[in-house]
Amino acid sequence: MSAQSETGRRQTPSTIRARKGAEPIVCLTAYTTPVARIADQSCDLVLVGDSVGMVLHGLPDTLGVTLDMMILHGRAVARGLSRAAMVVDLPFASYEAGPQQAFAAAARVMAETGAQAVKLEGGAHMAPTVEFLVTRGIPVMGHVGLTPQAVNTLGGYRVQGRGAAGDRIAADARALAEAGAFSVVLEKLPASLGQRITDEIAVPTIGIGAGAACDGQVLVIDDMLGLFAEFRPKFVRRYAELGRDATAAVAAYAEDVRARRFPGPEHGFADEGTQA
Ligand code: KIV
């Protein structure tokens, strides 16, 4: 089935929510209009992730991403979507202080980008904020497990929820679902925990490194397209090698320019009065 529902409507947080336990939900990140157009043809959900800071802006982590950056990229992505639902990440320090701060940030994202929902990181402690937003008309996607905005307290990007720690992450996911989140991202968890949470909560789980049992999957699009030769997380399958191909293309161009093989006669313009 395509990104449109059987009735031909655009995907929304409600149609995504209704897919619990049904056909897997397909999600990728996008940060620009042309990439959003590509993702829109096959995805149910497009996430404007704060990974944009690392992927496009060369930041060392997601902590330096601002609300203005998310809004700029959100607006670009919205121009490329007509079928998939669009979710925009709330960046670090734009929502954690409390529900009022979160509402102000989320309202800007919704009004200025046309997103249908926001995503925020954190477990049970964010449940009151999720409820505050949802009851005021802002659909929310939760995000538990490895939460990159907490990299400094987590001590790195390790797998989360092994052993007894899994109970806390499962409780976090339950709290978000009960607070009204329409779906919850599970990042970098043992597959058995991904399965357990998917069984326990009433809304779709969207996994990234959390096993095949999740109700959907998300990847950073640049990772699955192989744009970074050196970055190969275990949970990513590469569907293309665009980094390698682009490097070879640029090298070939450089050789052609240096050897005066480019431009060729077919790339030039004739003088006035002659053809072509
Ligand atoms: O920022 C992001 O791209 C994300 C996904 C990896 C889930 O949060």
Side-chain angles (χ1 to χ4, degrees), residues 21-153:
E23 188 190 28
I25 297 157
V26 180
C27 179
L28 284 172
T29 66
Y31 317 108
T32 63
T33 307
V35 172
R37 284 201 182 107
I38 293 168
D40 194 47
Q41 294 172 41
S42 302
C43 291
D44 302 305
L45 199 58
V46 168
L47 171 67
V48 187
D50 62 352
S51 50
V52 67
M54 299 170 80
V55 173
L56 287 198
H57 294 272
L59 295 174
D61 51 42
T62 58
L63 303 190
V65 176
T66 65
L67 193 56
D68 286 341
M69 286 166 74
M70 294 311 302
I71 288 171
L72 186 69
H73 286 284
R75 292 173 71 169
V77 168
R79 288 182 206 115
L81 300 184
S82 60
R83 299 147 57 101
M86 173 173 152
V87 179
V88 174
D89 262 348
L90 293 183
F92 177 67
S94 72
Y95 63 94
E96 300 91 327
Q100 306 277 354
Q101 185 207 24
F103 182 80
R108 266 197 73 194
V109 166
M110 302 289 285
E112 294 180 36
T113 69
Q116 291 148 310
V118 296
K119 175 165 82 58
L120 52 79
E121 296 183 7
H125 66 288
M126 293 309 304
T129 295
V130 171
E131 189 174 359
F132 190 89
L133 296 183
V134 172
T135 53
R136 284 158 182 78
I138 300 180
V140 179
M141 174 182 267
H143 184 158
V144 299
L146 174 61
T147 45
Q149 292 174 13
V151 61
N152 292 308
T153 44

Side-chain angles (χ1 to χ4, degrees), residues 156-228:
Y157 295 100
R158 280 188 292 275
V159 175
Q160 301 293 307
R162 285 196 164 122
D167 289 340
R168 185 188 50 76
I169 294 177
D172 282 341
R174 281 198 304 275
L176 296 173
E178 283 160 16
F182 74 92
S183 64
V184 179
V185 168
L186 307 182
E187 180 162 354
K188 236 175 163 182
L189 303 178
S192 57
L193 183 57
Q195 165 100 62
R196 171 183 163 190
I197 296 172
T198 301
D199 291 344
E200 280 182 11
I201 70 174
V203 301
T205 56
I206 310 290
I208 172 163
C214 296
D215 296 297
Q217 299 291 331
V218 59
L219 287 176
V220 169
I221 194 163
D222 298 56
D223 293 345
M224 56 83 78
L225 293 178
L227 272 158
F228 306 109

